[in-house]
Amino acid sequence: LDTSVKMKDFGVIVCVQWEKRGHAASYSEEDIDKLKTFVQNGGGLLIAGSPESPISKVAQAFGVEMKSGGLSQPLHCAEWLCNLGALPQVSIKSAGSYLIPPKEAVVAIADSRDVPVACLVQYGAGKIMFFCDDDKGSYWDFCAQRDSQLRVPNMPTTVALIKSLLPEGKPKQRS
């Protein structure tokens, strides 16, 4: 993490990483502790990546496992995420990774068998959105919902995922 940046000056931090390559950033225990402190103090954190990338170590530190394996199409967004602007359902070309979240997680995106791809977890005074992807970023493309003709991103689901991390973006609690 860039130590010249004061995390407390931001409402949401986004950590995105798909591939395990030589240039991929790794996360030290000190980096993870800084992220934990940021979220505990009320910050929002979006962790998106593949099980093979170093970002999976960060997810594990918060109790979420990223796993490789097939999913059943189509993916669907939870109603609370749709209320923040996400589209209810989008098919993607490949679906190769999923999450094993803690019990207290609120699922945001799942496959047709309700296997989670994205989930929201309260952590201290803040929130973390976990988003599991394959090593090509296929789900992130799903969230960006790119226009196939104009190649202009139209990203209502991505925006909804980030909105969920803001104080006013709380999902309704399950009863």
Side-chain angles (χ1 to χ4, degrees):
L1 294 175
D2 184 347
T3 56
S4 67
V5 174
K6 292 183 175 30
M7 286 193 250
K8 65 182 174 101
D9 293 340
F10 296 90
V12 175
I13 293 176
V14 178
C15 296
V16 179
Q17 193 172 52
W18 283 280
E19 298 177 22
K20 182 181 175 183
R21 291 187 178 170
H23 66 277
S26 61
Y27 295 88
S28 68
E29 292 304 318
E30 182 182 354
D31 292 336
I32 293 170
D33 287 342
K34 288 178 185 177
L35 290 171
K36 284 182 174 183
T37 300
F38 171 75
V39 179
Q40 284 175 333
N41 291 331
L45 178 61
L46 174 66
I47 295 175
S50 69
E52 297 80 21
S53 71
I55 199 77
S56 65
K57 176 183 173 184
V58 179
Q60 285 179 338
F62 288 102
V64 174
E65 284 188 67
M66 295 179 162
K67 294 286 195 178
S68 295
L71 296 174
S72 180
Q73 300 267 355
L75 298 182
H76 60 89
C77 295
E79 184 178 342
W80 67 266
L81 193 64
C82 293
N83 291 340
L84 293 174
L87 297 179
Q89 187 179 75
V90 177
S91 293
I92 61 171
K93 292 178 186 169
S94 67
S97 301
Y98 61 95
L99 296 173
I100 300 177
K103 290 182 220 174
E104 67 273 11
V106 179
V107 175
I109 302 172
D111 78 351
S112 64
R113 297 171 305 191
D114 291 326
V115 175
V117 174
C119 70
L120 186 67
V121 174
Q122 185 76 39
Y123 190 84
K127 295 181 273 186
I128 309 166
M129 176 61 72
F130 297 91
F131 187 91
C132 194
D133 209 339
D134 61 21
D135 63 357
K136 296 177 184 104
S138 299
Y139 301 157
W140 202 249
D141 282 343
F142 144 69
C143 280
Q145 296 161 5
R146 300 182 191 286
D147 182 302
S148 62
Q149 295 174 351
L150 300 176
R151 296 280 188 212
V152 175
N154 175 17
M155 43 181 120
T157 305
T158 304
V159 170
L161 289 170
I162 293 171
K163 278 183 181 179
S164 73
L165 296 169
L166 301 173
E168 62 276 7
K170 295 179 182 174
K172 292 181 179 170
Q173 295 297 322
R174 294 182 273 184
S175 46

